Amino acid sequence: MLKEKIEKYLLSVQKPARYIGGEAGSIHKDKSKVDVRFAFCFPDCYDIGMSHLGMKILYSLINERENYWCERVFAPWPDFEQVMRQQHIPLYGLESLEPIRDFDFIGFTLQYELSYTNILNMLELAEVPVYAKNRGTDMAPMVVAGGPCACNPEPLADFFDLFILGEGEEVNLELMDLYHRMRREGATRQAFLREAAKLEGIYVPSLYDVTYNPDGTIRAVTPKDGAPATVKKRIIRDFDQVYYPENFVVPFTEIVHDRVSVEVLRGCIRGCRFCQAGFLYRPFREKSEETVYRECRALCEHTGYDEVSLSSLSTSDHSRLDPMLRKLLTYTEAERINLSLPSLRIDNFSQDLLNQIKRVRKSGLTFAPEAGTQRMRDVINKNISEEEVMKTCRIAFEGGYDTVKLYFMMGLPTETDEDIAGIAELAQKVVDLYYQIAGKGRGKNLQVSISTATFIPKPFTPFEFEPQATHAQIEHKQQVLRDAIRSKKIRAALHQSDASLLEAVLARGDRRVGQVLYRAWKKGCTFDSWDEYFDFTRWQEAFDEAGLDPAFYANRTRPYDEVFPWDHLDYYVSKDFFVRENQRAHQSLTTPNCRQKCAGCGVNLKAGGACFAEDPYSV
């Protein structure tokens, strides 16, 4: 049996608990009573994948159906992959320890572009044809994907049978129901895909032909066989009533985020022009404090975790944050449970909020000004002032904190050397502020950390038209920043730019980039998001062999009227809005957040109602 074969080699690899299953909370079923089996694949190692909230939700949701069975699958670390290849162990589900090639669905979550080679590797390990065209006429296994990177699935189009756009809590079950019915009817793979394309939120790339202009840009994306011209994402309209599990799988081994996580809101009101998630997850929806309390309590009691994190893009934008925290703290303090509050905003940070945080977290505080000068913050529509940054730091320092971490980007549109130097100047002002408050002799433990990442233009943002800074430009900017730092109390962490270039290519690439992806994987590229495995030389060779220039995808300005690879996919925010916001960026004009004034992004029209109604928990 496969189980004995797996167990035989576990002690020869790192963290064998990654590969054996059987954890508390995992769900096991009688295979003879199961009609549809779904392998939920996370294209990274167990430690990362088990921290992912989306997997926890959909795993429990699918398993609520008695005749459906969802199992977890993760990318094996290179040491265990070697064992699998040598001993002919196919990729398997952790619950049954059976090969996923025999499942009905093999589903991947697309969280990060640099995990794409792992997807191809996992398909090969599963003994499933990597290219969709080679999978024959049988319905199983159907290779599907969803997640944020599905907003531009074109670089992966040749490898997947279909993509799930938007939020999956409803459409996943609809897709499985359709599959269950059509399999009983003896349908072919192609017939199922044509029917699946009729479901809102389902994109079948084989039902679309792409043609190109002589300059390499896209001429047209043309549907066929009855496929819709535009595929709309799915959204959950009543977020306060959406399914949420009462139990999580509790791993045997330590993972990255080893705690309960409860989503308190979805979407974002801010409209930062670089932030893809802020637009992909619109409209903005909240859970009531009663719902958040009930879900936190149920998960803590079922899992035994002593830490709970409130998950969102901007937790402090919840309209009832204060009563929600008070209600939660009554429970968490009594039960000695730590409450974590990530995603705090500078412009609504207050003394009252700090007092709440100090009751649950004593470590340093992290904020994201994103840019060092006011002009640059206006360009990106961050809508925070230097005064607000300093006010927030003052509250923190007066509250006893001496560690502050500030996140920035470099390579933003219209950015100058003065803007880069402004990062160091802002950090220096924070250092000076601390000494003003604490006095000269009390800064022994003071630490102001600045972390910079290379700006990556992403689809469905106002900056989707913008070029990414070149490698040489980023190196220059990094040196400008180093030269501008004057205090030993300021520590700078600078992001490596080769991986950022590849991320930009995969984020905005078309179907031809799939050739590069396949060639890079064949050259041995996997775990590209891990510094110790990332090898840009192999990727450069793959681009050369495919006859494609990464600069075409990453480093050129795109005109407003260009047909983008994702223009036939509808995420509810209009392209006209992105054009207007891009123009405002180049004029250094800000746009108010959604609670202050509607900017006309188009979401409310397509979602079927106002984004903010008298009832804050309805769309």
Side-chain angles (χ1 to χ4, degrees):
M1 289 178 62
L2 186 58
K3 180 179 179 181
E4 283 101 19
K5 205 171 187 182
I6 294 166
E7 290 176 344
K8 182 178 179 180
Y9 296 97
L10 283 179
L11 294 181
S12 66
V13 301
Q14 299 178 54
K15 297 187 179 181
R18 291 168 166 169
Y19 308 111
I20 197 60
E23 309 98 321
S26 58
I27 298 172
H28 301 263
K29 297 191 175 185
D30 182 347
K31 188 171 65 173
S32 66
K33 298 179 180 179
V34 171
D35 293 314
V36 182
R37 301 182 72 181
F38 193 108
F40 195 120
C41 300
F42 196 96
D44 209 317
C45 68
Y46 179 98
D47 314 45
I48 303 294
M50 278 295 292
S51 302
H52 176 52
L53 182 57
M55 170 176 273
K56 298 173 191 288
I57 294 172
L58 294 177
Y59 175 83
S60 297
L61 173 69
I62 294 171
N63 282 320
E64 286 277 309
R65 298 281 288 271
E66 291 186 9
N67 61 330
Y68 293 172
W69 191 7
C70 180
E71 300 191 36
R72 296 161 298 133
V73 186
F74 303 96
W77 200 247
D79 59 348
F80 191 61
E81 179 189 340
Q82 184 178 2
V83 170
M84 293 175 70
R85 292 187 182 277
Q86 290 175 347
Q87 303 303 323
H88 305 289
I89 299 173
L91 193 64
Y92 56 88
L94 284 184
E95 279 66 26
S96 66
L97 303 183
E98 293 182 350
I100 64 171
R101 64 173 180 245
D102 299 328
F103 286 32
D104 299 288
F105 285 91
I106 297 177
F108 288 87
T109 180
L110 307 180
Q111 296 295 315
Y112 186 35
E113 291 86 353
L114 296 189
S115 69
Y116 287 179
T117 51
N118 277 10
I119 293 172
L120 307 192
N121 203 46
M122 291 172 74
L123 288 174
E124 185 185 60
L125 287 170
E127 300 175 358
V128 172
V130 172
Y131 279 102
K133 64 184 180 182
N134 296 331
R135 294 185 191 130
T137 59
D138 291 343
M139 286 181 65
M142 195 65 57
V143 182
V144 308
C149 292
C151 71
N152 178 27
E154 295 305 283
L156 292 168
D158 292 337
F159 311 111
F160 281 90
D161 295 302
L162 61 85
F163 294 90
I164 300 165
L165 309 185
E167 297 165 353
E169 287 95 336
E170 295 171 346
V171 68
N172 273 272
L173 290 178
E174 292 174 14
L175 183 67
M176 295 175 73
D177 290 343
L178 175 66
Y179 177 93
H180 185 204
R181 174 175 64 79
M182 293 191 69
R183 190 186 60 185
R184 290 200 308 265
E185 296 169 355
T188 63
R189 175 181 294 266
Q190 289 70 28
F192 170 74
L193 290 174
R194 287 194 295 271
E195 286 301 307
K198 298 176 183 178
L199 295 176
E200 185 174 276
I202 300 297
Y203 171 52
V204 180
S206 61
L207 299 183
Y208 296 80
D209 291 328
V210 182
T211 55
Y212 299 91
N213 295 312
D215 65 358
T217 58
I218 292 175
R219 176 177 295 170
V221 178
T222 307
K224 57 187 178 183
D225 294 338
T230 302
V231 182
K232 294 175 62 176
K233 76 167 182 177
R234 288 293 290 266
I235 62 168
I236 301 298
R237 297 182 186 278
D238 189 349
F239 188 59
D240 196 46
Q241 298 298 319
V242 69
Y243 172 85
Y244 207 78
E246 292 187 347
N247 198 9
F248 287 168
V249 179
V250 181
F252 292 131
T253 186
E254 186 177 355
I255 59 175
V256 174
H257 298 303
D258 206 6
R259 62 197 180 200
V260 160
S261 184
V262 171
E263 194 177 14
V264 299
L265 60 85
R266 192 173 289 179
C268 186
I269 64 174
R270 297 292 172 168
C272 298
R273 291 169 180 144
F274 59 86
C275 181
Q276 185 183 58
F279 294 105
L280 290 186
Y281 292 113
R282 289 190 177 193
F284 181 86
R285 292 146 293 165
E286 298 179 341
K287 289 179 182 176
S288 67
E289 63 262 42
E290 289 80 10
T291 299
V292 173
Y293 172 80
R294 183 180 67 250
E295 292 174 352
C296 286
R297 182 163 185 162
L299 283 166
C300 288
E301 291 177 351
H302 281 97
T303 63
Y305 274 119
D306 61 1
E307 181 176 0
V308 58
S309 173
L310 302 185
S311 173
S312 74
L313 292 176
S314 182
T315 301
S316 51
D317 279 332
H318 195 287
S319 63
R320 294 184 57 79
L321 178 65
D322 185 65
M324 180 172 69
L325 290 180
R326 293 182 189 279
K327 190 174 183 68
L328 284 173
L329 285 166
T330 301
Y331 168 70
T332 57
E333 289 185 336
E335 298 297 325
R336 298 175 182 256
I337 294 170
N338 184 44
L339 182 63
S340 176
L341 303 174
S343 307
L344 299 176
R345 288 278 306 189
I346 287 175
D347 58 345
N348 54 16
F349 190 84
S350 65
Q351 183 65 54
D352 287 343
L353 182 56
L354 179 70
N355 291 337
Q356 300 275 28
I357 293 170
K358 288 174 69 176
R359 293 167 63 184
V360 300
R361 183 173 64 188
K362 301 297 189 291
S363 58
L365 294 172
T366 300
F367 301 103
E370 308 292 2
T373 63
Q374 192 59 48
R375 185 196 74 84
M376 201 68 247
R377 287 191 291 274
D378 291 346
V379 168
I380 64 178
N381 204 47
K382 187 65 180 177
N383 275 327
I384 59 171
S385 65
E386 182 175 300
E387 181 182 358
E388 288 171 319
V389 174
M390 302 310 290
K391 176 186 173 184
T392 294
C393 291
R394 174 177 291 277
I395 292 171
F397 292 152
E398 289 178 344
Y401 284 82
D402 54 17
T403 300
V404 173
K405 189 170 187 177
L406 303 174
Y407 280 112
F408 298 92
M409 283 184 291
M410 58 173 54
L412 289 161
T414 79
E415 186 179 76
T416 65
D417 285 358
E418 288 73 23
D419 295 312
I420 294 296
I423 295 173
E425 292 168 9
L426 182 60
Q428 185 62 50
K429 290 177 181 178
V430 173
V431 171
D432 295 342
L433 175 66
Y434 179 88
Y435 285 119
Q436 290 174 19
I437 295 169
K440 290 288 185 181
R442 300 186 59 190
K444 181 179 179 181
N445 296 322
L446 172 64
Q447 182 177 317
V448 177
S449 298
I450 55 177
S451 177
T452 66
T454 301
F455 163 67
I456 300 167
K458 292 290 183 90
F460 296 101
T461 70
F463 287 164
E464 65 182 8
F465 313 97
E466 298 294 335
Q468 185 182 47
T470 65
H471 187 100
Q473 288 170 333
I474 292 297
E475 284 190 333
H476 169 76
K477 292 172 185 292
Q478 289 176 341
Q479 191 57 51
V480 169
L481 179 56
R482 291 189 192 98
D483 293 342
I485 295 174
R486 306 195 312 272
S487 172
K488 292 181 180 180
K489 296 296 183 180
I490 300 173
R491 296 185 181 180
L494 308 182
H495 193 267
Q496 182 250 94
S497 62
D498 284 339
S500 298
L501 170 65
L502 180 59
E503 185 178 342
V505 172
L506 295 174
R508 295 195 297 175
D510 52 43
R511 291 192 182 185
R512 295 169 298 184
V513 173
Q515 308 169 49
V516 180
L517 179 61
Y518 183 83
R519 290 171 186 269
W521 166 63
K522 280 295 189 181
K523 291 177 181 294
C525 291
T526 57
F527 287 100
D528 294 297
S529 60
W530 294 78
D531 290 345
E532 60 263 46
Y533 292 108
F534 181 66
D535 187 343
F536 192 59
T537 301
R538 293 175 180 174
W539 279 96
Q540 289 174 314
E541 293 172 356
F543 277 107
D544 291 341
E545 291 174 9
L548 294 175
D549 181 3
F552 175 81
Y553 297 100
N555 305 124
R556 68 181 178 91
T557 300
R558 303 189 181 199
Y560 294 145
D561 60 355
E562 180 176 330
V563 177
F564 291 164
W566 53 89
D567 275 353
H568 58 300
L569 309 179
D570 185 355
Y571 273 73
Y572 284 29
V573 181
S574 72
K575 192 170 183 177
D576 287 343
F577 169 78
F578 290 140
V579 170
R580 292 198 306 271
E581 282 295 288
N582 183 272
Q583 292 170 338
R584 291 179 67 82
H586 282 271
Q587 300 170 50
S588 300
L589 297 175
T590 61
T591 299
N593 74 58
C594 300
R595 276 205 178 102
Q596 294 173 326
K597 183 181 179 181
C598 178
C601 74
V603 163
N604 56 346
L605 298 176
K606 295 178 181 179
C611 296
F612 296 97
E614 288 185 6
D615 176 5
Y617 307 115
S618 66
V619 174

